[in-house]
Amino acid sequence: MNKDVEFIVENVKAHTEWFRNCLPMIASENLISPVAREMLISDFCDRYAEGHPGKRYYQGCIYVDKVELKCVELAKKLFKCSYADVRPISGTVANIGVFKALAKPGDTVTALNTAEGAHISHAKFGGAGVRGLNVVNYPFDSKNMNIDLDGAVKVIKEIKPRIALFGQSVYLFPTPLKEIADVAHDAGSSVVYDGAHVLGLIAGGKFQDPLREGADVVTASTHKTLPGPQGGIVLSDHKGDTEDDKKFLKRLDSGVFPGVVSNHHLHHMAAKAVAFAEHLEYGKEYADQIIRNAKALGQAMYELGFNVFCEHLGFTESHQIVVGVGDGMGRWAAEALEKADIIVNMNMIPGDTKPLNPSGLRIGVQELTRIGMKEKDMKDVAGLFKKVVIEKIKPENVASEVIELRKDFNKIHYCFKEDEAHKYYSITGL
Ligand SMILES: *Cc1c(COP(=O)(O)O)cnc(C)c1O
């Protein structure tokens, strides 16, 4: 190997070693299963396929087609719907594909503001802008950390957007979708629910059920609470049983291809299929434990003196909690925690105006749950946060306690081949 290749391999190994010994609590991350990881390094990662199984532009897709048909079948079963497109290569790509399908440049989409929990792909400076859409924001209820229901209804009635978009990146409580969807449909809008963060909870029967609450389309990432490979998905329960409805599904389909993908990363598609099959088996149990752990962490940090948001609502109904750490102190706290091997991200909280100097932390427990932590372990985790952020103990001195706590958690749970997990987790999967 030459120096450059050695450098790359060494650093990937160092990263892997670090993450094996730390507390990864970024709310958008997770660990794929051992079998899914095998799919990622299979020959699928070298191949091309465009379009749909049986109707490819490229030869060589005999087995790819079988896997993709199975992947779509499993997605429909897992998400209880009649339409699934597993090709988007990320959640952002899924959103832009749906924007292309359902709106034209110059149309308006209504969404939350990114400062109040929406994703960059919902913004004029992000994905919505790529499609040339105007964005009008719903008001936000910062006390309850949720969309302001009456305000949103008013905005939709007034604006009559082409797309009424919902879903958040800072996402503690279900969107009151049922109450808004009828109003949006009366206004002639398509209702799109971005479930990127909460897809695994939804599939596990928790959080909410957007396709039954009025969403025409669900977009999502496949790697957050759904512990699959990095990727995206588009779901709908429209049946295509009228001419108009057929057209609707056709537009969704061509929004993705040829809209935003050509080849759709077949190894990720195969790994998605594995993740869906495993989630059908273990998803209920996993989603339930995630939410228990998030509530337990919120309670424990609150008792230790942290400003955990929404105590009056039990802190959270998702995998996340939000903690205020003092005016403009978010970056300091996240960097100190990183030195203690606790990985979180700083986040804007209501009242913040400077995205690069926010006052909060967003903390996710889905990955700690995946490695087997339960409510009692959340108390230990909360104690470590306190040492770094409140007691301001030198973080490097707390790191050894993190490593000690982490020692007992080196399996990946809620999947097949649990006993082989360490192989794929400890040495870069190779
Ligand atoms: C993470 C996220 C996405 C998509 O992210 P990708 O990294 O592109 O998969 C989309 N919407 C929301 C609300 C998100 O939080």
Side-chain angles (χ1 to χ4, degrees), residues 391-406:
E391 294 173 6
K392 299 194 168 60
I393 294 174
K394 201 164 177 259
E396 287 82 355
N397 296 344
V398 181
S400 58
E401 291 184 55
V402 169
I403 292 172
E404 194 53 37
L405 172 65
R406 183 63 209 260

Side-chain angles (χ1 to χ4, degrees), residues 90-93 95 119 121-122 167-169 194 196-197 221 223-224 231:
S90 83
T92 298
V93 165
N95 279 342
H119 187 251
S121 58
H122 303 183
Q168 294 157 235
S169 301
D194 179 343
H197 263 272
S221 308
H223 50 263
K224 297 183 182 178

